[in-house]
Amino acid sequence: MSESGELIIEPKSGQPANACVFILHGLGADGHDFEPLVPAISLPESANVRFIMPHAPRLPVTINGGMVMPAWYDILAMDLGRRVDEVQLKKSAQRIQALIEEQIDQGIDSRRIIIAGFSQGGAVAYHATLSFAQPLGGLLAMSTYFATADSIELAEANRSIPIEVHHGNFDPIVPESLGRAGFDKVKALGYPANYRQYPMAHALCPQQVQDIGKWLSERLAT
Protein backbone atom coordinates (compact mmCIF):
# COMPACT_ATOMS: atom_id res chain seq x y z
CA MET A 1 0.00 0.00 0.00
CA SER A 2 1.20 3.49 -0.74
CA GLU A 3 2.83 5.64 1.91
CA SER A 4 1.21 9.03 2.37
CA GLY A 5 4.07 11.40 3.01
CA GLU A 6 4.76 13.40 6.13
CA LEU A 7 3.91 16.61 7.95
CA ILE A 8 6.90 18.97 8.09
CA ILE A 9 7.11 21.94 10.47
CA GLU A 10 9.99 24.31 9.79
CA PRO A 11 11.79 26.31 12.52
CA LYS A 12 9.65 29.07 14.04
CA SER A 13 12.70 31.35 13.92
CA GLY A 14 12.43 31.51 10.15
CA GLN A 15 16.08 30.48 9.92
CA PRO A 16 17.29 27.36 8.09
CA ALA A 17 17.02 24.20 10.16
CA ASN A 18 20.20 22.87 11.78
CA ALA A 19 18.48 20.05 13.68
CA CYS A 20 15.60 17.67 13.06
CA VAL A 21 13.15 15.78 15.26
CA PHE A 22 11.09 12.91 13.85
CA ILE A 23 7.90 11.97 15.70
CA LEU A 24 6.16 8.72 14.75
CA HIS A 25 2.47 8.42 15.66
CA GLY A 26 0.55 5.44 16.99
CA LEU A 27 -1.94 3.00 15.44
CA GLY A 28 -4.93 4.60 13.73
CA ALA A 29 -3.55 8.14 13.88
CA ASP A 30 -1.44 10.21 11.48
CA GLY A 31 1.36 12.75 11.59
CA HIS A 32 -1.00 15.52 12.66
CA ASP A 33 -1.58 13.69 15.96
CA PHE A 34 1.54 15.23 17.48
CA GLU A 35 1.35 18.61 15.73
CA PRO A 36 0.16 20.34 18.96
CA LEU A 37 3.24 19.04 20.78
CA VAL A 38 5.59 21.31 18.82
CA PRO A 39 4.51 24.63 20.37
CA ALA A 40 3.81 22.97 23.73
CA ILE A 41 7.39 21.82 24.36
CA SER A 42 8.64 25.43 24.29
CA LEU A 43 12.04 25.02 22.69
CA PRO A 44 14.25 28.16 22.82
CA GLU A 45 13.58 30.81 20.18
CA SER A 46 17.09 30.20 18.86
CA ALA A 47 16.44 26.50 18.25
CA ASN A 48 16.28 26.00 14.52
CA VAL A 49 14.58 22.61 14.61
CA ARG A 50 12.64 21.01 11.80
CA PHE A 51 9.93 18.60 12.95
CA ILE A 52 8.98 15.76 10.62
CA MET A 53 5.91 13.67 11.39
CA PRO A 54 5.49 10.89 8.84
CA HIS A 55 2.10 9.33 8.13
CA ALA A 56 1.93 5.53 8.37
CA PRO A 57 0.55 3.58 5.40
CA ARG A 58 -2.94 2.08 5.62
CA LEU A 59 -2.85 -1.63 6.44
CA PRO A 60 -5.31 -4.30 7.58
CA VAL A 61 -4.81 -4.89 11.31
CA THR A 62 -5.49 -8.41 12.57
CA ILE A 63 -6.37 -7.49 16.17
CA ASN A 64 -8.96 -5.04 14.84
CA GLY A 65 -10.75 -7.65 12.75
CA GLY A 66 -8.69 -6.93 9.65
CA MET A 67 -9.90 -3.32 9.48
CA VAL A 68 -7.72 -1.15 7.24
CA MET A 69 -6.25 1.83 9.09
CA PRO A 70 -3.02 3.82 9.42
CA ALA A 71 -0.51 1.34 10.82
CA TRP A 72 3.24 0.94 10.76
CA TYR A 73 2.78 -2.84 10.92
CA ASP A 74 0.17 -5.49 11.66
CA ILE A 75 -0.41 -6.59 15.25
CA LEU A 76 -1.19 -10.29 15.21
CA ALA A 77 -2.08 -10.84 18.88
CA MET A 78 -2.37 -8.77 22.05
CA ASP A 79 -0.64 -11.39 24.17
CA LEU A 80 1.96 -10.63 26.81
CA GLY A 81 4.73 -10.35 24.23
CA ARG A 82 2.66 -8.45 21.65
CA ARG A 83 3.09 -10.52 18.46
CA VAL A 84 3.68 -8.28 15.46
CA ASP A 85 4.54 -8.53 11.76
CA GLU A 86 8.28 -7.87 11.97
CA VAL A 87 8.71 -7.73 8.20
CA GLN A 88 6.27 -4.80 8.00
CA LEU A 89 7.82 -3.14 11.06
CA LYS A 90 11.30 -3.35 9.56
CA LYS A 91 10.01 -2.00 6.24
CA SER A 92 8.58 0.99 8.09
CA ALA A 93 11.89 1.44 9.91
CA GLN A 94 13.73 1.42 6.58
CA ARG A 95 11.39 4.14 5.31
CA ILE A 96 12.19 6.29 8.36
CA GLN A 97 15.90 5.67 7.85
CA ALA A 98 15.55 6.86 4.24
CA LEU A 99 13.91 10.06 5.52
CA ILE A 100 16.75 10.52 8.01
CA GLU A 101 19.27 10.13 5.19
CA GLU A 102 17.41 12.81 3.22
CA GLN A 103 17.91 15.24 6.12
CA ILE A 104 21.60 14.39 6.31
CA ASP A 105 21.90 14.95 2.56
CA GLN A 106 20.32 18.38 3.08
CA GLY A 107 23.11 19.31 5.49
CA ILE A 108 21.73 18.34 8.92
CA ASP A 109 24.40 16.78 11.16
CA SER A 110 23.22 13.24 11.95
CA ARG A 111 24.04 13.86 15.63
CA ARG A 112 21.41 16.63 15.61
CA ILE A 113 18.66 14.29 14.46
CA ILE A 114 16.40 12.82 17.15
CA ILE A 115 13.83 10.07 16.66
CA ALA A 116 10.71 9.93 18.84
CA GLY A 117 7.81 7.50 18.63
CA PHE A 118 4.55 6.79 20.42
CA SER A 119 3.10 3.26 20.79
CA GLN A 120 3.46 1.54 17.38
CA GLY A 121 5.57 4.47 16.24
CA GLY A 122 7.85 3.91 19.19
CA ALA A 123 8.50 0.30 18.20
CA VAL A 124 9.51 1.55 14.74
CA ALA A 125 11.63 4.30 16.32
CA TYR A 126 13.53 1.75 18.42
CA HIS A 127 14.39 -0.29 15.34
CA ALA A 128 15.10 2.59 12.96
CA THR A 129 17.37 4.36 15.44
CA LEU A 130 19.35 1.50 16.93
CA SER A 131 20.07 -0.06 13.53
CA PHE A 132 20.99 3.21 11.78
CA ALA A 133 24.56 3.31 10.48
CA GLN A 134 25.35 6.94 11.40
CA PRO A 135 25.34 8.45 14.92
CA LEU A 136 22.03 10.07 15.87
CA GLY A 137 21.23 12.52 18.64
CA GLY A 138 18.72 10.62 20.74
CA LEU A 139 15.76 8.24 20.94
CA LEU A 140 12.50 9.02 22.75
CA ALA A 141 10.25 5.98 23.25
CA MET A 142 6.77 6.90 24.50
CA SER A 143 4.15 4.38 25.70
CA THR A 144 5.74 1.71 23.56
CA TYR A 145 7.78 -1.51 23.49
CA PHE A 146 10.95 -2.86 21.86
CA ALA A 147 9.26 -5.28 19.46
CA THR A 148 12.41 -6.35 17.59
CA ALA A 149 14.73 -6.63 20.59
CA ASP A 150 15.57 -10.24 19.76
CA SER A 151 16.14 -9.81 16.03
CA ILE A 152 17.60 -6.32 15.51
CA GLU A 153 21.13 -5.89 14.17
CA LEU A 154 22.48 -3.09 16.35
CA ALA A 155 24.59 -0.43 14.67
CA GLU A 156 27.89 0.35 16.39
CA ALA A 157 27.48 4.04 15.46
CA ASN A 158 24.58 4.36 17.91
CA ARG A 159 25.78 2.15 20.79
CA SER A 160 26.10 5.24 23.03
CA ILE A 161 22.94 7.08 21.96
CA PRO A 162 20.90 8.55 24.85
CA ILE A 163 17.51 6.83 25.18
CA GLU A 164 14.57 8.33 27.05
CA VAL A 165 11.69 5.94 27.82
CA HIS A 166 8.30 7.30 29.01
CA HIS A 167 5.26 5.28 30.06
CA GLY A 168 1.99 5.75 31.91
CA ASN A 169 1.35 3.48 34.87
CA PHE A 170 -2.37 3.26 33.98
CA ASP A 171 -1.85 2.37 30.32
CA PRO A 172 -4.59 -0.13 29.24
CA ILE A 173 -3.32 -0.41 25.64
CA VAL A 174 0.41 -1.04 26.05
CA PRO A 175 0.97 -2.32 29.61
CA GLU A 176 3.72 -0.54 31.47
CA SER A 177 5.46 -3.91 31.88
CA LEU A 178 6.19 -3.86 28.13
CA GLY A 179 7.63 -0.34 28.33
CA ARG A 180 9.76 -1.31 31.31
CA ALA A 181 10.94 -4.47 29.50
CA GLY A 182 12.16 -2.37 26.57
CA PHE A 183 14.03 -0.07 28.94
CA ASP A 184 15.56 -3.01 30.79
CA LYS A 185 16.70 -4.49 27.47
CA VAL A 186 18.53 -1.35 26.27
CA LYS A 187 20.08 -0.86 29.71
CA ALA A 188 21.31 -4.47 29.66
CA LEU A 189 22.82 -3.81 26.22
CA GLY A 190 24.78 -0.90 27.69
CA TYR A 191 22.85 2.07 26.31
CA PRO A 192 22.63 5.23 28.46
CA ALA A 193 18.88 5.04 29.07
CA ASN A 194 16.51 6.84 31.42
CA TYR A 195 13.00 5.76 32.45
CA ARG A 196 10.16 8.10 33.43
CA GLN A 197 6.79 6.92 34.70
CA TYR A 198 3.70 9.16 34.67
CA PRO A 199 0.23 8.85 36.28
CA MET A 200 -1.59 8.55 32.95
CA ALA A 201 -3.15 6.09 30.51
CA HIS A 202 -2.12 5.67 26.84
CA ALA A 203 -1.44 9.35 26.24
CA LEU A 204 0.81 12.30 27.03
CA CYS A 205 0.46 14.45 30.16
CA PRO A 206 1.54 18.04 30.93
CA GLN A 207 4.53 17.04 33.09
CA GLN A 208 5.74 14.72 30.35
CA VAL A 209 5.48 17.49 27.76
CA GLN A 210 7.69 19.68 29.98
CA ASP A 211 10.18 16.83 30.37
CA ILE A 212 10.27 16.28 26.60
CA GLY A 213 11.00 19.95 26.01
CA LYS A 214 13.83 19.91 28.55
CA TRP A 215 15.30 16.70 27.16
CA LEU A 216 15.19 17.95 23.56
CA SER A 217 16.77 21.26 24.58
CA GLU A 218 19.61 19.41 26.30
CA ARG A 219 20.15 17.09 23.34
CA LEU A 220 20.18 19.94 20.82
CA ALA A 221 22.07 22.54 22.82
CA THR A 222 24.77 24.16 20.69
Side-chain angles (χ1 to χ4, degrees):
M1 297 202 177
S2 63
E3 294 157 349
S4 49
E6 54 275 340
L7 169 67
I8 300 176
I9 302 176
E10 295 292 350
K12 59 184 178 181
S13 66
Q15 298 299 311
N18 63 21
C20 182
V21 175
F22 285 85
I23 306 178
L24 311 184
H25 64 78
L27 178 65
D30 64 21
H32 293 281
D33 199 40
F34 281 90
E35 191 171 0
L37 180 64
V38 175
I41 57 178
S42 301
L43 291 179
E45 283 288 338
S46 59
N48 298 318
V49 181
R50 173 181 295 129
F51 287 86
I52 299 181
M53 304 175 188
H55 308 308
R58 295 179 61 82
L59 301 171
V61 177
T62 300
I63 60 162
N64 288 340
M67 184 182 300
V68 175
M69 62 182 61
W72 297 107
Y73 52 85
D74 189 17
I75 299 176
L76 305 171
M78 295 284 276
D79 54 15
L80 187 61
R82 190 67 53 111
R83 288 198 297 120
V84 307
D85 187 321
E86 285 200 12
V87 172
Q88 291 177 343
L89 189 157
K90 291 175 181 178
K91 179 182 177 183
S92 287
Q94 289 168 358
R95 176 189 164 201
I96 300 306
Q97 290 176 335
L99 293 174
I100 295 169
E101 288 168 354
E102 286 180 6
Q103 294 303 303
I104 296 170
D105 290 345
Q106 291 177 31
I108 303 292
D109 185 332
S110 68
R111 291 162 295 186
R112 291 181 59 77
I113 297 176
I114 290 175
I115 315 301
F118 179 84
S119 197
Q120 257 208 350
V124 174
Y126 263 123
H127 194 90
T129 303
L130 300 185
S131 64
F132 193 69
Q134 298 184 61
L136 297 170
L139 168 62
L140 172 60
M142 301 176 285
S143 302
T144 189
Y145 50 100
F146 192 178
T148 56
D150 295 330
S151 63
I152 189 172
E153 293 186 16
L154 300 170
E156 286 303 316
N158 282 297
R159 288 307 297 257
S160 62
I161 190 171
I163 301 174
E164 184 85 351
V165 181
H166 293 178
H167 218 105
N169 56 0
F170 304 122
D171 192 331
I173 307 298
V174 179
E176 189 188 1
S177 59
L178 287 179
R180 175 67 73 169
F183 167 75
D184 290 343
K185 180 68 173 182
V186 293
K187 284 291 285 186
L189 288 168
Y191 290 93
N194 180 59
Y195 188 87
R196 294 183 189 270
Q197 177 194 71
Y198 299 91
M200 63 181 184
H202 197 60
L204 268 63
C205 67
Q207 181 59 55
Q208 181 186 15
V209 171
Q210 288 186 29
D211 292 340
I212 291 171
K214 180 180 179 182
W215 184 76
L216 287 176
S217 295
E218 291 171 351
R219 298 277 71 75
L220 298 175
T222 55

